[in-house]
Amino acid sequence: MSVPAAPNPAGSAGVDPGAAVVLDARAPGAGPRPALTASRRQAHRLDWLIERGILLVSTTAIVMILLIFVFVAREGLPVILGRTDNARVQQPLTAAQAAEASPEQLARYLGVTPAELKGYDAETVKMLVELKAEEMQQLDNPDARFNTTTWGMMLHPHRWHDYDQAAYIWQPVSEIPKYNIVPLFLGSLKATVIALLVSVPLGVGAAIYVSQLAHAKLREWIKPAIELLSGIPSVVLGFFALIVLATWLQWLIGYPSRLNAFGAGVALGLAVIPIIFTISEDALTSVPQSYTQAALALGASRWQVAWQIVLPAALPGVFAACVLGFGRAIGETMVVLMASGNATIVSASIFDSCRTMTATIAAELAEVVFGGDHYRILFLIGALLFAVTFVANLLGELVVHRLKSRLEGKA
Amino acid sequence: MKLQRDQRDWHSVVFSGATLAATVLIVAMLFVIVGNIVWHGGGQMSWRFIFGGTEEGCST
């Protein structure tokens, strides 16, 4: 929130001879400029140095984020641009067709380089063509003719051989690799929405209580305790969710699958609560005391002041807290990897197991062939995660800007 | 002159109670997580566990 500049009570000139703005604003006939003392010059140099240091640090941070995004996007670029092809079935060539084909076509058909092909004699080439034809006849899976790395195959359901109906399937290590990313996206979305449904009411409610209603001594105890929650490593939270929370929730609700999106979302909520609480509490505390005092003087209750005066004034900060909470929830890996069940299924039920995009990257990236299709698609998922978080932050920023404008009476 | 309020402000009571409940729930979850770890892991803690070296399986 921008604060309007306070008026200078001592006039515009001669008050602070060391300040550049004031010196420049001097009237033409105001006499010679007072010389800067050595200590002021030193202070100016120090200010300049600190400013440049901050600029350097912030620019470096932005450049590093951009470079990370460029690296992630570059690795996924062949899939993004549709330059990968893992379709395995071609029409087998006869010996006569092989003799008529160009060396490049023949090399591509046999899966060798043109240089390697040049080194083979005619008998070897003929034998390779026959072997290739035999191999193709043996491969009787009709799904092999599909390029499963296209956007269509990654986003739309497909009716695979031996399946009754079209389905969204993520099976990157099967005979025919299937890379549909919809189950992963839905898994991330389910866990994130549940996490926010748990963490936003609890985090904002606790922030209102601590900042507006709690006794000062109690506040000194509660605030550090809740912030301590952010110090618990996510692997410990995941461990707790896997061993304890999942069992409790299953006993309480009675769903069949112990590890599911609901349990993962609740555990994820525990990781998000400290972020939402801390930022919301700061926003609520920074609302001027005069607002509260004026409302109390008019006879409002503590709750009315908190709900109708302080919360609307702090709404941009509270909303920013929720956006940051969303970013943490969708990017969190360990908790969902341990507590979600990791089943790549498309289901509307929150009590079914799910698998998130982050958990998939964490579980599979160490075991893929470097530079292969699977590797590239995992990077594409990383780039998508980046894009989702970026768009969410951008929209959040726009909403915060509008809320601020409304609060300042500009909109 | 009666200085007390005629009616209890139920909105205030309910919503203040809800925010208090949210706070208590969060703090309780923290205690449950930390308590659970301490309860199950505390028994295994010993000076030997922290400072003792490996005694088996390292001989050549």
Side-chain angles (χ1 to χ4, degrees):
Chain A
M1 196 185 301
S2 61
V3 180
N8 185 355
S12 61
V15 176
D16 185 1
V21 176
V22 175
L23 284 174
D24 289 340
R26 284 166 65 87
R33 288 180 177 181
L36 289 175
T37 60
S39 63
R40 279 198 178 278
R41 271 200 297 268
Q42 205 170 353
H44 273 280
R45 264 187 234 124
L46 194 66
D47 285 352
W48 184 88
L49 255 170
I50 291 169
E51 273 178 27
R52 292 296 175 279
I54 292 170
L55 183 70
L56 184 71
V57 169
S58 51
T59 312
T60 309
I62 293 168
V63 168
M64 282 179 78
I65 292 168
L66 276 176
L67 285 177
I68 292 170
F69 182 71
V70 167
F71 168 71
V72 172
R74 192 197 65 178
E75 295 296 308
L77 206 60
V79 181
I80 295 170
L81 298 177
R83 287 187 188 153
T84 50
D85 188 357
N86 64 352
R88 276 190 265 160
V89 174
Q90 299 159 300
Q91 286 300 318
L93 294 180
T94 60
Q97 284 170 327
E100 285 172 13
S102 69
E104 288 79 21
Q105 284 173 330
L106 197 59
R108 205 178 314 126
Y109 173 72
L110 294 172
V112 296
T113 62
E116 283 173 334
L117 187 68
K118 248 184 206 174
Y120 299 152
D121 57 22
E123 195 61 33
T124 309
V125 173
K126 190 181 167 193
M127 195 178 70
L128 284 174
V129 169
E130 283 171 6
L131 281 172
K132 186 77 182 176
E134 268 178 42
E135 184 191 316
M136 287 172 143
Q137 279 157 6
Q138 281 169 2
L139 190 67
D140 59 350
N141 191 335
D143 292 335
R145 66 194 157 90
F146 294 115
N147 175 12
T148 57
T149 61
T150 60
W151 279 106
M153 296 295 262
M154 286 193 286
L155 295 176
H156 299 298
H158 182 77
R159 187 173 174 179
W160 298 98
H161 179 61
D162 287 342
Y163 278 70
D164 295 333
Q165 56 187 7
Y168 299 93
I169 295 176
W170 172 267
Q171 259 176 17
V173 287
S174 59
E175 186 195 349
I176 307 296
K178 302 173 185 79
Y179 299 113
N180 199 296
I181 58 176
V182 173
L184 311 179
F185 185 75
L186 281 181
S188 283
L189 202 65
K190 271 204 276 190
T192 304
V193 168
I194 293 163
L196 289 180
L197 286 176
V198 170
S199 59
V200 170
L202 287 180
V204 176
I208 291 174
Y209 181 78
V210 169
S211 66
Q212 303 298 314
L213 306 169
H215 192 268
K217 277 200 168 176
L218 189 65
R219 188 182 308 158
E220 282 174 20
W221 282 97
I222 293 177
K223 200 178 169 209
I226 296 179
E227 285 170 352
L228 195 67
L229 201 59
S230 65
I232 296 177
S234 60
V235 69
V236 174
L237 269 180
F239 178 75
F240 174 75
L242 175 69
I243 304 293
V244 182
L245 192 67
T247 309
W248 286 357
L249 289 174
Q250 190 183 32
W251 173 79
L252 199 69
I253 301 171
Y255 44 69
S257 174
R258 199 175 77 89
L259 299 178
N260 55 42
F262 181 70
V266 172
L268 207 52
L270 292 175
V272 176
I273 280 172
I275 294 174
I276 294 182
F277 169 79
T278 307
I279 300 171
S280 300
E281 203 268 341
D282 282 348
L284 290 163
T285 311
S286 63
V287 172
Q289 282 288 311
S290 55
Y291 288 23
T292 314
Q293 287 162 356
L296 286 172
L298 288 171
S301 65
R302 296 290 304 178
W303 171 253
Q304 283 172 324
V305 173
W307 185 250
Q308 292 175 15
I309 306 293
V310 179
L311 188 62
L315 207 55
V318 173
F319 188 80
C322 297
V323 173
L324 285 176
F326 171 83
R328 168 79 201 266
I330 203 163
E332 175 58 49
T333 306
M334 218 55 208
V335 174
V336 286
L337 182 65
M338 296 172 85
S340 67
N342 290 314
T344 54
I345 51 174
V346 173
S347 156
S349 170
I350 57 170
F351 299 124
D352 282 335
S353 293
C354 71
R355 185 169 199 168
T356 64
M357 297 197 279
T358 49
T360 305
I361 295 172
E364 295 176 10
L365 191 59
E367 294 171 8
V368 296
V369 177
F370 181 81
D373 294 335
H374 189 186
Y375 170 88
R376 303 247 178 245
I377 286 171
L378 290 179
F379 271 91
L380 167 75
I381 293 170
L384 280 178
L385 260 176
F386 222 125
V388 168
T389 315
F390 178 74
V391 169
N393 278 332
L394 198 69
L395 290 177
E397 190 64 35
L398 285 174
V399 173
V400 168
H401 187 72
R402 284 194 69 176
L403 287 172
K404 272 185 188 172
S405 299
R406 192 183 293 175
L407 202 66
E408 290 164 4
K410 290 177 188 167
Chain B
M1 190 176 163
K2 196 178 176 185
L3 291 174
Q4 278 185 322
R5 287 188 180 191
D6 288 338
Q7 283 184 326
R8 199 167 174 82
D9 185 1
W10 286 107
H11 271 96
S12 282
V13 173
V14 169
F15 287 108
S16 301
T19 55
L20 174 65
T23 312
V24 170
L25 193 64
I26 296 171
V27 176
M29 285 309 295
L30 173 74
F31 278 103
V32 167
I33 294 168
V34 176
N36 197 271
I37 292 164
V38 171
W39 180 260
H40 288 102
Q44 311 301 317
M45 198 58 78
S46 66
W47 287 113
R48 193 171 156 270
F49 173 74
I50 298 169
F51 295 109
T54 311
E55 288 177 1
E56 290 176 23
C58 281
S59 56
T60 52

